[in-house]
Structures are given as structure tokens and as C-alpha cells.
Amino acid sequence: MPIRALIFDVDGTLAETEDYHRRAFNQAFAEASMDWVWSRETYAGLLKVAGGRERVEANASATGGTGIDAAALHRRKTEIYQTFMRPGEIKLRPGVERIITAARARGLQLAIATTTSRPNVEGLLATTLGADAIGWFASIRSGEDVSVKKPDPEVYLRVLDDLGLAPRDCIAFEDSANGLGATSAAGIATVVTPSIYTAGDDFTGATVLLRNLDEPYSTALFKPRTSLSDLSRDAADLIMGI
Ligand code: XBP
Ligand code: MG
């Protein structure tokens, strides 16, 4: 059964965006005269909580912060993050554009399943792939579309529903244990390319673990013992960019 769609996570998978999120949060906190400053180390721990608003709420609970308007802070953080989406500032990770181009040439459907907010997805796609790129994706589901974020599979199930496809028809691309948890629960084979913030995550259950999408399959960090397990030859070709 040939693969019919590729489903991409956004933060950490399409691009190393997570530190821009961190900086946008810090700017929003400073504007609100708060004394919160999230270092890289602090943020790495906070990333276990999926979703920016939820992350602010979790930090407020953990630090005994009261009277914090997490929704307002998160709205402002999203505005600030948009200002970082400038051409040349944020680049796609290696291999991402090549795989998207190859998939389009083969007539595969493309989709996005992300925890982040929709404006952030649109900003990233437009900045890196051009204004038309958003139209290349048959389904884009983001944090606003779900009641529970990753590792819950809801966002992937919504994408499958939009596409009218079964899990076995698709390959997902993720960078984090939260993302892999979501794809695994949805039953979708997953190529994992760990990002700066997720390199230490547990990727048990990944179909293939590569440093990035330009890495040859022969030197993958992890690969199934027998060929590409249940992935079709077509999928293997695509993943390896043959
Ligand atoms: C990663 C996330 C997001 C971002 C912040 O999303 O956990 O919450 O850190 O985005 P992805 P928001 O599924 O794309 O890897 O502040 O917009 O929630
Ligand atoms: Mg991610």
C-alpha cells in the first residue's frame, strides 16, 4: 500500500523555532513587568508541557505565581513571535524543503499537525517557503483545533479525518517525545529528527531516528532491524530522498 500523505509537526521539526518561542515568552513577561526570565535550561524542562499557554500556567503553579493572565500573556507572546518570522532569520531544517518538494512532485498530500498556534504556522511557512506554501497543505491542524494537546493523538486524528486517510496511508515527522507519543497513539509510522531542545528525549517507538532529513539512512541513529519494518518501499525512498 503506497504512502499517500506526509504529516509534519512544526516546532523543532520544520525548523529550530523553539528558542524563538522562548525569547518571545521572555519579552512578553518583561513587557508585563514580570520577573520571569526563562533560561534555555529552564525552558528545556518546561517543554514537557505542550502548548504555550499551558506552559505559562504550569510555571505559575510551580512557582506559586498568582494573578497571572496566561491567556493574555500568550496572545502577546504570539504577536512577538510573529515579528521574529523574517526571511533569512528562520530557516527550515536540512532536508525539509527537499522532502516537501519530492512529495508534491509525487502527488502526495501534505499536512501539518502541531501544538503551536495557527498564526505561527502560517508565519513560518510564508517566511521559509513563500506566500503560496500554505496552500500546499491539504490539512493544517494546530493548538486551537484540539481539546487536548500532544502527546494526546487528537491533532493527528483530526488531520487523518480531514485527509480521509487511515494511519497506514501516512508518515509523520516529529522531533519530540510528546510528538512521538501522539503519532504512536494515532498509529502513524514516524520519522523522528531530534531538535536542539529534544535531543535527550526517549524515542522508543520511532520508525526511523535520523539526525536530520538529509542524513543518509545508512547512518541513522536508529533504524528497524529488518528493512523499514512495515513501511513500503515508496515511503523508504521518500524518507531517504532517493
Ligand atoms: C511545540 C510546542 C508549542 C511551542 C509554543 O509545538 O509545544 O507549544 O513551544 O507554541 P509542535 P504556542 O507540536 O509544533 O512541536 O505558544 O503557540 O503554544
Ligand atoms: Mg515539535
Side-chain angles (χ1 to χ4, degrees), residues 9-15 17-18 113-115 150 173-176 178-179 195 198:
D9 166 53
V10 173
D11 293 311
T13 299
L14 293 184
T17 44
E18 210 55 80
T114 177
T115 292
K150 299 174 189 176
F173 295 82
E174 275 286 355
D175 72 302
S176 70
N178 271 344
S195 56
T198 60

Side-chain angles (χ1 to χ4, degrees), residues 13 25 45 51 93 107 115-117 125 133 159 173 192 200 207 223 231-232:
T13 299
F25 278 117
R93 288 189 65 191
T115 292
T116 202
S117 313
L125 292 178
V159 166
F173 295 82
V192 174
T207 306
K223 52 194 170 189
L231 285 182
S232 68

Side-chain angles (χ1 to χ4, degrees), residues 131-156:
D132 296 342
I134 200 147
W136 302 347
F137 293 82
S139 167
I140 297 180
R141 291 292 178 178
S142 54
E144 298 91 332
D145 296 319
V146 294
S147 53
V148 197
K149 293 181 176 172
K150 299 174 189 176
D152 190 280
E154 185 177 350
V155 71
Y156 278 97

Side-chain angles (χ1 to χ4, degrees), residues 201-216:
D201 282 9
D202 177 358
F203 295 117
T204 306
T207 306
V208 190
L209 185 57
L210 301 167
R211 287 173 186 80
N212 62 61
L213 293 177
D214 264 346
E215 183 184 16

Side-chain angles (χ1 to χ4, degrees), residues 5-6 8 92 96-105 107-112 118 124-126 128-140 163:
L6 304 186
F8 291 90
L92 295 176
V96 169
E97 187 166 359
R98 178 181 54 72
I99 286 191
I100 287 176
T101 304
R104 294 185 72 218
L108 295 179
Q109 294 200 75
L110 296 173
I112 298 260
R118 174 100 186 190
L124 180 69
L125 292 178
T128 55
L129 291 167
D132 296 342
I134 200 147
W136 302 347
F137 293 82
S139 167
I140 297 180
L163 300 177

